[in-house]
Amino acid sequence: MSARLTVPKTYKLAIGGAFPRSESGRTYEVTTSKGAFLANAAQASRKDARDAVKAARTAQAGWAKATAYNRGQVLYRVAEVLEGRKAQFVDEIVAQQGVSAASAGAQVDEAIDLWVWYAGWCDKYAQVAGNLNPVAGAYFNISAPEPTGIVAIVAPQENALLGLVSVVAPALVAGNAVVVVASERYPLSAISLAEVLATSDLPGGVVNVLTGSPAELAPWLASHADVNALDLAGAGAIDWVDLQITAADTLKRVLAPGEAVASPQRIAAFTEVKTVWHPKSLV
């Protein structure tokens, strides 16, 4: 009997609920911490970025219309599936980053806990970010947060999973759709996370994952007129000031590079506030 051949995984992009190769046909090698070949990852192009934005725009309205409670249920389901596939993520992180299994396991545990934490905010953040404003008059004045729309994200580059979760999860809470450029060096966990999202009741296109060069992809996302906000958490190594200037041409909200600390403020950063005036009854 001949020895069984392994079936190596092909890491593609995640766009619109599907997993296409880059339209350019390009790939790049992902190596272990010691330089050994690990896998080929798709190298996304400008066209792939445009396709991802289009998919996000198509999906965003439906995600935003879901009740806050339902969004929380869907995001919690993501954490459940992550928990069930923990061993796979640990193996990928060990292979990519060269850390111990214990360290990789701790990163996955923290990512799952963080996802659960943000899922719990879905039906609570509006009470924190909104307000019944005191006014002198016979009317109510109410401020209510709404999703800003499409959020383009450059994920933190220094780790495989936790940094990705720390920027994607808060953008989803309010009803935004996401186009995220994964860590260029550690992209494999990002595509595995996209597979988790695809099997967790999250509508296709709400999260779109691009792998490749942030320096190549970020300028196109910053200038895209249908992107409403830009999170540059992982863009510290590229010319992010130019990205801010480019984003200003289309009035995007922009978060500068920095650590993505878990906070309700990170949710509010990707919301718009609608103020409603309503007359009081004179009876």
Side-chain angles (χ1 to χ4, degrees), residues 87-148:
Q88 174 193 343
F89 282 94
V90 169
D91 289 345
E92 287 177 338
I93 291 170
V94 169
Q96 291 174 98
Q97 297 185 225
V99 298
S100 67
S103 177
Q107 182 182 157
V108 177
D109 285 343
E110 190 173 352
I112 294 169
D113 291 347
L114 184 60
W115 200 282
V116 171
W117 190 79
Y118 275 118
W121 273 104
C122 286
D123 59 357
K124 301 174 184 68
Y125 88 95
Q127 291 91 316
V128 175
N131 195 29
L132 176 62
N133 304 310
V135 291
Y139 42 80
F140 296 104
N141 181 265
I142 303 167
S143 294
E146 295 185 340
T148 194

Side-chain angles (χ1 to χ4, degrees), residues 16-38:
F19 293 88
R21 293 177 172 84
S22 171
E23 62 81 30
S24 68
R26 298 180 303 169
T27 62
Y28 70 100
E29 289 189 359
V30 181
T31 61
T32 67
S33 59
K34 296 182 179 180
F37 175 80
L38 186 58

Side-chain angles (χ1 to χ4, degrees), residues 35-250:
F37 175 80
L38 186 58
N40 285 317
Q43 186 166 346
S45 67
R46 174 188 180 185
K47 175 64 164 54
D48 295 319
R50 292 204 311 267
D51 289 346
V53 173
K54 183 178 179 180
R57 178 56 66 194
T58 300
Q60 191 270 326
W63 179 239
K65 288 179 181 177
T67 66
Y69 178 73
N70 181 242
R71 286 200 300 272
Q73 287 180 310
V74 172
L75 294 187
Y76 186 80
R77 176 61 180 158
V78 173
E80 290 179 333
V81 180
L82 267 172
E83 186 77 45
R85 292 178 61 170
K86 178 179 175 180
Q88 174 193 343
F89 282 94
V90 169
D91 289 345
E92 287 177 338
I93 291 170
V94 169
Q96 291 174 98
Q97 297 185 225
V99 298
S100 67
S103 177
Q107 182 182 157
V108 177
D109 285 343
E110 190 173 352
I112 294 169
D113 291 347
L114 184 60
W115 200 282
V116 171
W117 190 79
Y118 275 118
W121 273 104
C122 286
D123 59 357
K124 301 174 184 68
Y125 88 95
Q127 291 91 316
V128 175
N131 195 29
L132 176 62
N133 304 310
V135 291
Y139 42 80
F140 296 104
N141 181 265
I142 303 167
S143 294
E146 295 185 340
T148 194
I150 309 303
V151 182
I153 302 171
V154 179
Q157 301 292 297
E158 65 274 7
N159 59 49
L161 180 64
L162 182 57
L164 184 71
V165 168
S166 69
V167 291
V168 170
L172 297 177
V173 170
N176 297 299
V178 166
V179 177
V180 59
V181 182
S183 169
E184 184 175 13
R185 186 177 179 186
Y186 309 128
L188 307 188
S189 297
I191 298 304
S192 293
L193 177 63
E195 293 172 355
V196 167
L197 298 177
T199 56
S200 302
D201 301 326
L202 190 74
V206 172
V207 175
N208 304 274
V209 180
L210 304 175
T211 54
S213 168
E216 177 183 350
L217 296 170
W220 298 117
L221 293 171
S223 63
H224 199 301
D226 207 23
V227 172
N228 304 107
L230 190 63
D231 185 347
L232 300 176
I238 62 179
D239 192 351
W240 59 270
V241 174
D242 273 357
L243 295 177
Q244 284 187 312
I245 294 170
T246 300
D249 290 338
T250 48

Side-chain angles (χ1 to χ4, degrees), residues 1-24:
M1 183 180 294
S2 60
R4 181 183 178 276
L5 296 177
T6 59
V7 182
K9 182 173 180 178
T10 300
Y11 290 86
K12 303 177 184 177
L13 307 175
I15 299 175
F19 293 88
R21 293 177 172 84
S22 171
E23 62 81 30
S24 68

